[in-house]
Amino acid sequence: MGNTAIKNDRIYTYADYLSWPEHERWEIINGTAYMMAPPSTEHQRIVGNLFFQFKSHLNGKVCEPFISPFGVIFEPLATEDNITTVVEPDITVVCNTAFITDKGCKGTPDLIIEVLSRSTASRDMIQKRSLYEKYRVAEYWIVDPTHQIITRYYLDHKTGTYLQPDYFDKENTISPIIFPDLQIDLKNIFPEQS
């Protein structure tokens, strides 16, 4: 869909993000602001199913999952006027409790999951993948509801780049590399297609 609102007339910052109305959801990537379209019911079902798996598994542990809207900024020491990137992933897992603030995550999360929608697919697959690699997010999942496939990227900590991705479909079980004991049967994640 080409009707997603974009603000690119100047460099936008986290200070702008904090000033916008709460009922409007925006992300800023490298100073360009993107309005987020309301998600579909199918999108929300998949996000909810995945979040439930992570929440159940991590309950009582140090790492904590968060569901969107939950702002992530990657530069913990920068000021609000100097931060030009803030994103709201569908699911964010944070293991460093010092990064968790009353406004979201200020630092690099350990795992991020984005569920594709028509209005954000290219941003999730290209811009955000590059962004998450740049800031060394250890694990990044892209969930494709249409084809019922999850693409899992994992960071090579020596090179700071993502390794070749792994692919999982509805017939598979997926485990986060950072939580290998969490086994997620994808039949329980993707809704039946008619």
Side-chain angles (χ1 to χ4, degrees):
M1 291 182 152
N3 61 359
T4 303
I6 298 175
K7 295 182 182 190
N8 59 3
D9 55 313
R10 64 177 178 84
I11 301 295
Y12 286 90
T13 68
Y14 186 53
D16 295 311
Y17 170 88
L18 293 174
S19 73
W20 291 328
E22 281 190 30
H23 66 277
E24 291 182 10
R25 291 189 51 219
W26 291 87
E27 291 184 311
I28 303 172
I29 299 176
N30 299 322
T32 299
Y34 301 89
M35 181 179 265
M36 300 171 70
S40 70
T41 300
E42 178 185 47
H43 177 281
Q44 292 302 85
R45 279 191 184 120
I46 292 169
V47 170
N49 290 343
L50 278 167
F51 180 75
F52 176 78
Q53 297 286 328
F54 279 90
K55 186 70 175 166
S56 299
H57 181 75
L58 295 174
N59 190 36
K61 297 181 176 146
V62 173
C63 298
E64 188 173 358
F66 295 91
I67 198 165
S68 184
F70 180 77
V72 174
I73 58 175
F74 297 96
E75 302 161 58
L77 303 178
T79 64
E80 291 177 358
D81 288 326
N82 292 331
I83 296 167
T84 57
T85 296
V86 55
V87 292
E88 291 187 2
D90 290 308
I91 298 173
T92 305
V93 178
V94 183
C95 296
N96 185 335
T97 56
F99 291 167
I100 300 169
T101 74
D102 61 342
K103 293 182 179 151
C105 176
K106 202 169 186 185
T108 298
D110 298 85
L111 186 147
I112 285 177
I113 299 174
E114 298 281 10
V115 178
L116 300 180
S117 61
R118 281 184 294 176
S119 63
T120 64
S122 65
R123 196 160 61 245
D124 290 340
M125 295 173 73
I126 299 168
Q127 285 178 283
K128 285 189 174 179
R129 184 202 162 284
S130 176
L131 180 74
Y132 299 157
E133 184 177 59
K134 173 185 173 182
Y135 285 104
R136 302 176 76 95
V137 175
E139 197 163 342
Y140 176 40
W141 295 10
I142 298 174
V143 182
D144 180 345
T146 303
H147 300 100
Q148 298 192 327
I149 292 171
I150 294 180
T151 304
R152 181 183 67 190
Y153 291 94
Y154 188 71
L155 193 72
D156 180 332
H157 292 282
K158 290 180 185 161
T159 65
T161 59
Y162 283 132
L163 299 165
Q164 286 290 357
D166 298 310
Y167 302 93
F168 302 84
D169 67 15
K170 195 172 181 171
E171 303 307 313
N172 298 134
T173 297
I174 187 173
S175 294
I177 291 172
I178 61 174
F179 310 122
D181 51 338
L182 170 55
Q183 304 280 318
I184 302 172
D185 184 344
L186 294 185
K187 285 188 182 76
N188 298 325
I189 300 304
F190 291 112
E192 287 299 321
Q193 292 184 329
S194 48

